[in-house]
Amino acid sequence: MATRLVEVQKLKKWFPIKGGVFSTTVASVRAVDEVSFFIDQGETLSLVGESGSGKTTTGRTMLKLLQPTSGKIIYKGKDISKLTPNQMRPLRRNMQIMFQDPYGSLNPRMPVGDIIREPLDVHSIGTRKERQQAVATMMETVGLRPEYERRYPHEFSGGQRQRIGVARAIIINPELLVLDEPISALDVSIQSQIINLLQELQQRLNLTYLFIAHDLAVVRHMSDRVAVMYLGKIVETADNDELFDHPFHPYTQALLSAVPVPDPDVKRERIILQGDVPSPINPPSGCHFRTRCPYAMPICKEQEPAMIEVAPGHTVACHLLTRK
Ligand code: SF4
């Protein structure tokens, strides 16, 4: 049976907007609004949705790089949502994040060997010699030549820099890795190399991934399960094949209609959504998607749809499910 590694329950991250003479909270950006999901050990859960849907904030809040406004984060059965930064320290090495921009996330004034070694230094792992050896091994593991360890980030290509990012993230043997758009800043020609590397490392090291992405073809290739986010809420979750073969939520259907189908005999009609994602400061009442949904009904304005299981492990929040 699968072992649950992390579970978030009704996780909320609102950013207050201050105003007035006394700098009081006048509104809030509801970046993540009562989101719930889980990730089992060794699996990949992908979070998908347009920009501004709250994917990145969800990933960062789950790792407690941002303090949650409310809700629970259960890591290996323990609620970590209220732990202080000091209390989080021993857990930090189990949870790492890899960023989108491989250049911006690496210190340009540090040789790559030092960049990769830094997490070992921070967590005081091993002797100096053991750390040096670990850097050389890790560089080889991710396909970099260990003799390049005194070179600086600007001396590497985009793909190599992302390999440095991978090495830095996994050198302390984490259990959970948040991959925040890890390939979107890379050339298409090297995206697949990084994806293959991440999959190979997952197998070898039993890593668990939260994969944040907007390229649905890559998501299909990479995921075990997928959660679709819209304006701070998860609207649909299912196993990979189930979601791509039987999308239910109108937003998921629109997103998937843009993915090319490899079979030339299969024609899929492209659904073009009208308008932009509304502001998360003042989201629409009821269903957040109602202002862009072709099937919106009066109830959609009045009542937020509940998550309902439509097939084993496939949950959807939409009033079409309960329409008589
Ligand atoms: Fe559309 Fe209503 Fe379903 Fe929201 S609840 S997706 S507005 S039909």
Side-chain angles (χ1 to χ4, degrees):
M1 213 179 97
T3 311
R4 185 119 327 153
L5 185 67
V6 65
E7 179 166 5
V8 304
Q9 297 172 354
K10 296 195 164 200
L11 188 69
K12 210 187 246 191
K13 180 62 193 174
W14 289 16
F15 296 96
I17 300 172
K18 306 281 183 189
V21 188
F22 300 108
S23 190
T24 49
T25 301
V26 290
S28 294
V29 177
R30 303 178 188 193
V32 179
D33 205 4
E34 303 213 340
V35 154
S36 300
F37 61 85
F38 64 86
I39 318 177
D40 286 335
Q41 204 136 28
E43 78 165 348
T44 299
L45 172 72
S46 289
L47 267 188
V48 302
E50 292 162 288
S51 0
S53 58
K55 309 184 296 284
T56 292
T57 309
T58 301
R60 288 177 191 203
T61 311
M62 183 188 79
L63 294 186
K64 279 184 54 79
L65 298 174
L66 296 169
Q67 186 56 31
T69 305
S70 63
K72 284 187 176 173
I73 305 159
I74 317 281
Y75 187 76
K76 291 175 123 178
K78 182 180 174 192
D79 183 1
I80 61 164
S81 47
K82 296 200 170 62
L83 295 189
T84 62
N86 258 351
Q87 291 169 320
M88 275 300 293
R89 258 183 90 79
L91 282 174
R92 279 269 163 250
R93 60 177 290 186
N94 296 333
M95 310 166 154
Q96 294 290 308
I97 185 165
M98 201 179 129
F99 298 101
Q100 173 181 359
D101 176 2
Y103 197 52
S105 60
L106 304 176
N107 185 338
R109 285 187 287 275
M110 271 173 106
V112 300
D114 292 1
I115 291 175
I116 296 170
R117 202 192 58 235
E118 199 177 28
L120 295 175
D121 296 340
V122 169
H123 292 277
S124 308
I125 298 168
T127 61
R128 190 169 172 76
K129 200 169 164 208
E130 285 166 343
R131 290 177 206 173
Q132 278 315 115
Q133 184 53 48
V135 169
T137 307
M138 191 47 65
M139 287 184 77
E140 268 181 302
T141 303
V142 300
L144 293 167
R145 294 169 68 166
E147 57 267 33
Y148 289 169
E149 68 158 319
R150 296 321 296 165
R151 295 191 177 183
Y152 289 85
H154 72 268
E155 296 177 78
F156 292 85
S157 68
Q160 286 174 320
R161 284 198 288 260
Q162 202 53 306
R163 287 174 190 270
I164 297 166
V166 174
R168 183 187 155 86
I170 64 171
I171 195 163
I172 50 173
N173 221 357
E175 295 170 316
L176 174 64
L177 203 50
V178 172
L179 305 168
D180 188 2
E181 305 263 11
I183 55 162
S184 51
L186 302 176
D187 284 351
V188 175
S189 58
I190 44 178
Q191 286 184 349
S192 57
Q193 292 175 17
I194 298 298
I195 289 297
N196 290 343
L197 173 66
L198 290 169
Q199 287 189 307
E200 188 196 312
L201 292 171
Q202 182 174 38
Q203 291 282 322
R204 203 181 330 158
L205 307 172
N206 194 28
L207 293 166
T208 303
Y209 291 156
L210 178 68
F211 183 62
I212 297 170
H214 62 263
D215 183 337
L216 292 166
V218 175
V219 165
R220 178 150 211 186
H221 177 71
M222 182 87 186
S223 320
D224 294 299
R225 289 183 302 114
V226 183
V228 182
M229 275 194 89
Y230 184 80
L231 207 54
K233 299 229 177 240
I234 289 181
V235 297
E236 185 160 14
T237 309
D239 284 354
N240 198 18
D241 287 343
E242 167 75 8
L243 189 100
F244 280 87
D245 294 342
H246 306 289
F248 186 92
H249 197 282
Y251 179 60
T252 313
Q253 290 175 356
L255 280 185
L256 298 195
S257 75
V259 182
V261 184
D263 185 344
D265 295 331
V266 177
K267 295 264 179 289
R268 189 190 270 164
E269 198 188 330
R270 176 89 195 261
I271 304 167
I272 310 281
L273 289 175
Q274 303 300 319
D276 295 325
V277 182
S279 164
I281 298 172
N282 189 17
S285 61
C287 172
H288 284 186
F289 186 56
R290 70 173 169 79
T291 51
R292 301 172 77 198
C293 178
Y295 310 105
M297 307 168 279
I299 190 176
C300 304
K301 187 176 182 181
E302 289 148 22
Q303 215 174 296
E304 187 180 333
M307 267 288 182
I308 294 175
E309 190 167 53
V310 291
H314 185 174
T315 53
V316 182
C318 176
H319 288 304
L320 288 172
L321 282 169
T322 47
R323 192 173 57 170
K324 300 274 183 313

